[in-house]
Amino acid sequence: MAKKNKFSFTALIITSIFAAPIIGIYIIFLVFKFVILAILSCFPNKNKKFISNRNINDILINVDNLSGFEFEDFVTTLLIQNGYRNVNKTKSSGDFGADIIAEKGNIRYAIQCKRFNSKIGPKPIGEVLRGKNRYNCNAGIVITNNYFTKQAIQEGKISNIELWDRNSLINLILNSKLCDNK
């Protein structure tokens, strides 16, 4: 028995002699990594967009307080900053269901903007379908600062109309110049 304990103790000492430096090197590596990352975070990358949750929430609070016409202007700006071209607002009344006409790639879009405090039902889908036909567009989009009801989602699928909810709006904002901290 004494030999077994002596062998175990010897194995433990030998293992400790070799393992301690490896563990020490690993700890030094982790400390070095965190120090380098902390230093690099002090130098902003001008090609990267920085936004905190507080900033996006502030933007969304402002969006939620816009009038319908201001929301249309806001969406127009976002579309331009997201690579859409020939972005034009239609006239305020008698727009035939399309607030904005825009192009991206080979697709011409009729876009209906809805800034609401509650979920959006299927009515705007019918509106943008009329606008799509009136303005010779290939596709239709309904964009909102809110979300869509289940019925609207079903109607959008049936009508082949894209539904851009609050999450889509956030993505447009994140890809725009609104999120650059300069």
Side-chain angles (χ1 to χ4, degrees):
M1 280 246 158
K3 281 191 169 187
K4 188 174 187 182
N5 286 340
K6 186 176 181 184
F7 177 74
S8 296
F9 182 72
T10 306
L12 179 67
I13 291 175
I14 293 172
T15 304
S16 298
I17 291 172
F18 290 108
I22 293 171
I23 293 171
I25 291 170
Y26 182 69
I27 291 171
I28 291 169
F29 168 76
L30 288 177
V31 170
F32 182 74
K33 176 182 171 184
F34 288 115
V35 169
I36 294 298
L37 289 175
I39 291 169
L40 290 176
S41 70
C42 296
F43 300 102
N45 179 350
K46 292 187 179 185
N47 295 323
K48 186 174 179 183
K49 296 181 179 193
F50 295 93
I51 186 161
S52 69
N53 287 334
R54 196 184 94 217
N55 290 340
I56 190 68
N57 288 335
D58 290 345
I59 292 170
L60 291 173
I61 288 168
N62 289 332
V63 168
D64 290 340
N65 290 311
L66 295 175
S67 71
F69 296 118
E70 292 169 331
F71 183 64
E72 291 173 17
D73 291 337
F74 180 71
V75 171
T76 299
T77 301
L78 287 177
L79 291 170
I80 292 168
Q81 292 182 3
N82 277 272
Y84 287 78
R85 56 185 171 73
N86 299 325
V87 180
N88 294 300
K89 285 181 56 179
T90 60
K91 58 184 178 176
S92 298
S93 61
D95 60 15
F96 297 95
D99 298 316
I100 302 169
I101 305 299
E103 297 174 9
K104 190 165 190 179
N106 294 328
I107 301 174
R108 182 173 163 90
Y109 294 92
I111 301 167
Q112 176 66 267
C113 301
K114 293 294 180 187
R115 203 244 9 108
F116 274 31
N117 292 326
S118 59
K119 287 187 173 184
I120 307 298
K123 183 180 175 190
I125 295 162
E127 293 171 357
V128 80
L129 276 171
R130 285 189 300 281
K132 178 182 161 195
N133 293 331
R134 168 66 172 89
Y135 295 103
N136 293 325
C137 295
N138 312 90
I141 299 170
V142 178
I143 184 168
T144 182
N145 65 314
N146 213 300
Y147 296 95
F148 293 94
T149 64
K150 288 180 182 179
Q151 186 181 4
I153 293 168
Q154 290 172 344
E155 184 69 29
K157 286 179 184 176
I158 291 168
S159 303
N160 201 25
I161 296 296
E162 294 181 40
L163 303 181
W164 292 3
D165 63 9
R166 191 172 189 87
N167 297 329
S168 302
L169 183 65
I170 289 169
N171 286 333
L172 287 173
I173 293 168
L174 290 171
N175 290 322
S176 73
K177 294 179 183 175
L178 293 173
C179 295
D180 286 339
N181 287 337
K182 295 181 180 180

